[in-house]
Amino acid sequence: MHQPLALLGGKPTRSKPYPAWPIFGRAEEQRLIRTLRSGRWGRLQGPEVARFEEQFAAQHGCRFGLALANGTVSLRIALLAAGIRAGDEVIVPPYTFLSTASAVLEANALPVFADIDLDTFNLSPAAVAAAITPRTRALIPVHFAGQPADMDALMALAKKHKLLVIEDAAHAHGASYGQRPAGSLGHIASFSFQSSKNLTAGEGGILTTNDQALAEACRSIHNCGRVPGGVWYEHHVVSGNYRLGEFQGAILNCQLDRLEQQTQTRERNGRFLAARLAQLPGLYPQKRDDACTRHSYHLFMLRFLAEEFGVPRQIFLQALKAEGIPCSAGYGFSLHHQPLFRNKAFGPFLPDDAARLDYTKVECPNSDLICSRQCVWLEQHLFLGRRQDTEDIARAFERIYEQRAALCEWANKNGAMPAATRPANSSRRRTNGRGRKGVR
Ligand SMILES: Cc1ncc(COP(=O)(O)O)c(C=O)c1O
């Protein structure tokens, strides 16, 4: 006889919390105090930000690094530095955080959405090819969840059409593709150090590149348009102050010392969980691209096919949380459905001919499908523990699957079953890696 699911009154699979995030200790304390006492709190005075830029860039295969206030302005500055102009088009995925597209608007250009691949959740090269117009100037692939996008195909397209490629590597600290680290795969890359990220100082960002001219242009824009060798009150381009402070630099230097070991742990645990979950019907962990030599597992993502697993996603997530496994459905809808795009509420950033783009007509069915019905997210800090901690996640999934009939009965009785998605209480075996025809 099974112990009932925690949602039905049983003992949870796990009662111990997962490692909290961020992780810090005496190293951070000492470095912050040293910075405080030095009185050198700005990057133009102190050593911390400069040291961090150098080390982070080197670890990510680049000669140049430029720390910034966050991973949104970094994208915008990369676009401005590359000469993107009003009305230019920049291709972005619809399955991403707002900034990937809003940074394009704030650079006075227009984001054009191209769908993702249903198995990897990354920008589909075929969809990008179909979205290219004579106005396309750049594309921003996101290494979603920490798996590098299909950069070989995307760079080939970029070369053919003379496009700039900005990697949005906000999730991909320490990830790699073939022999090369994320951050060195496009022309320039942007990382974020916002609170949830695999490397964090609460806020912050960095651009990495091997292109000296781009690096210098970005540096000037981030520092009020100043240029090397110029004097303090000498400003050459429209720009602002997007500098990172020394306290954040101090924390980032300590966190960077922890990154390699944490990335190895996440990768080990993430791979283990992916292999275990793939054994169960209806669970399709993010497909690993052959070229992905290291996944940074900012998120562990999977497609959850209710029809095969036998439980609606909403009920499943409730049950998984009750088992002591924090989880979510991720984005509720694709980015282009935001009111911002539907209403073209672009404020001063509306090119005269923006009428040619109607975001209510954009079609990205793969992104829509995983948002509305299929995606499940587990956050990176769950993967910083031991094998046993990941084993608990696998056991919770397995337990829910074994007791799916009781769970559905409970949901029906308690009026919790979502009417529109009520599945047959199926025990069908999975058919192939992409789900049955019609299930999507
Ligand atoms: C994919 C992606 N791009 C860009 C950003 C923006 O970074 P930030 O929050 O540092 O501005 C984020 C995260 O927050 C993100 O997840």
Side-chain angles (χ1 to χ4, degrees):
M1 182 60 191
H2 291 301
Q3 161 82 249
L5 293 176
L7 195 58
L8 312 192
K11 193 166 161 270
T13 305
R14 184 181 168 91
S15 44
K16 219 170 101 196
Y18 278 93
W21 186 254
I23 290 169
F24 57 92
R26 275 186 64 75
E28 281 81 358
E29 276 178 31
Q30 286 173 346
R31 208 150 179 150
L32 280 172
I33 288 174
R34 191 169 80 195
T35 304
L36 179 77
R37 290 188 179 146
S38 76
R40 298 189 295 170
W41 297 352
R43 74 149 302 159
L44 301 180
Q45 292 84 42
E48 295 290 347
V49 173
R51 179 203 179 262
F52 174 72
E53 287 173 340
E54 209 175 287
Q55 304 262 324
F56 185 92
Q59 281 187 27
H60 290 80
C62 286
R63 287 161 61 212
F64 307 103
L66 176 68
L68 291 147
N70 56 59
T72 302
V73 292
S74 50
L75 288 167
R76 175 166 175 254
I77 287 174
L79 289 160
L80 294 175
I84 299 300
R85 293 283 171 267
D88 287 350
E89 292 178 5
V90 178
I91 297 176
V92 299
Y95 195 79
T96 180
F97 183 64
L98 168 74
S99 308
T100 315
S102 65
V104 174
L105 290 169
E106 289 193 298
N108 217 0
L110 283 169
V112 171
F113 292 94
D115 208 355
I116 54 166
D117 179 272
L118 196 51
D119 299 317
T120 64
F121 313 128
N122 274 331
L123 202 48
S124 149
V128 170
I132 292 173
T133 75
R135 290 175 180 254
T136 309
R137 296 282 173 270
L139 54 117
I140 310 183
V142 179
H143 302 321
F144 205 87
Q147 165 160 251
D150 186 350
M151 292 302 286
D152 287 343
L154 294 172
M155 291 307 286
L157 271 175
K159 192 168 178 197
K160 182 167 165 204
H161 296 276
K162 297 192 172 51
L163 309 176
L164 172 83
V165 178
I166 303 173
E167 295 167 68
D168 185 342
H171 299 181
H173 319 73
S176 54
Y177 182 84
Q179 300 300 312
R180 292 159 64 203
S184 67
L185 307 170
H187 300 112
I188 187 164
S190 163
F191 292 82
S192 163
F193 306 128
Q194 171 269 342
S195 301
S196 68
K197 300 299 186 294
N198 290 19
L199 183 69
T200 183
E203 300 290 355
I206 196 168
L207 286 169
T208 56
T209 182
N210 280 308
D211 181 324
Q212 186 166 359
L214 255 184
E216 284 171 6
C218 291
R219 193 165 283 274
S220 176
I221 293 171
H222 109 293
N223 186 21
C224 309
R226 297 187 177 106
V227 291
V231 297
W232 171 69
Y233 196 60
E234 187 185 327
H235 307 281
H236 288 254
V237 289
V238 177
S239 59
N241 170 5
Y242 304 107
R243 300 183 300 257
L244 192 73
E246 285 288 280
F247 291 108
Q248 283 160 305
I251 292 178
L252 287 169
N253 277 315
C254 298
Q255 293 284 309
L256 190 58
D257 290 341
R258 303 176 190 275
L259 180 67
E260 175 58 28
Q261 192 256 318
Q262 289 176 341
T263 308
Q264 287 179 19
T265 306
R266 288 188 193 97
E267 161 81 322
R268 204 169 41 242
N269 287 329
R271 263 188 194 270
F272 168 78
L273 186 64
R276 268 289 276 278
L277 297 191
Q279 310 295 320
L280 287 177
L283 304 185
Y284 297 90
Q286 180 179 31
K287 186 178 167 205
R288 183 120 178 180
D289 189 323
D290 289 342
C292 175
T293 38
R294 190 152 80 166
H295 192 311
S296 60
Y297 282 109
H298 174 57
L299 295 169
F300 182 99
M301 288 174 67
L302 60 131
R303 285 173 69 209
F304 175 88
L305 268 55
E307 296 85 340
E308 293 183 17
F309 192 88
V311 178
R313 179 176 62 161
Q314 195 182 311
I315 305 295
F316 169 77
L317 289 169
Q318 241 180 297
L320 193 60
K321 279 182 208 160
E323 293 300 328
I325 312 298
C327 57
S328 77
Y331 305 132
F333 50 90
S334 302
L335 184 54
H336 58 281
H337 296 311
Q338 292 285 347
L340 161 69
F341 293 106
R342 298 190 78 80
N343 304 328
K344 280 199 236 166
F346 299 164
F349 302 110
L350 189 64
D352 291 344
D353 62 347
R356 70 195 146 91
L357 283 184
D358 181 349
Y359 291 96
T360 64
K361 301 227 162 67
V362 170
E363 288 195 5
C364 293
N366 292 345
S367 174
D368 288 348
L369 179 67
I370 63 166
C371 287
S372 63
R373 295 184 51 198
Q374 297 184 346
C375 225
V376 172
W377 287 9
L378 306 174
E379 291 179 11
Q380 53 91 8
H381 61 103
L382 272 62
F383 296 87
L384 286 172
R386 296 171 185 277
R387 170 60 52 86
Q388 185 53 49
D389 298 307
T390 315
E391 174 80 32
D392 284 346
I393 303 177
R395 285 202 306 117
F397 273 80
E398 287 159 3
R399 189 175 179 196
I400 297 170
Y401 178 70
E402 283 158 16
Q403 298 192 49
R404 61 197 181 284
L407 181 59
C408 286
E409 201 181 305
W410 171 89
N412 273 320
K413 217 186 276 168
N414 290 280
M417 190 67 95
T421 53
R422 193 168 295 159
N425 184 17
S426 152
S427 59
R428 269 188 301 253
R429 299 185 69 76
R430 68 197 312 166
T431 48
N432 62 44
R434 316 189 99 228
R436 284 175 301 109
K437 229 176 157 211
V439 164
R440 295 177 187 189

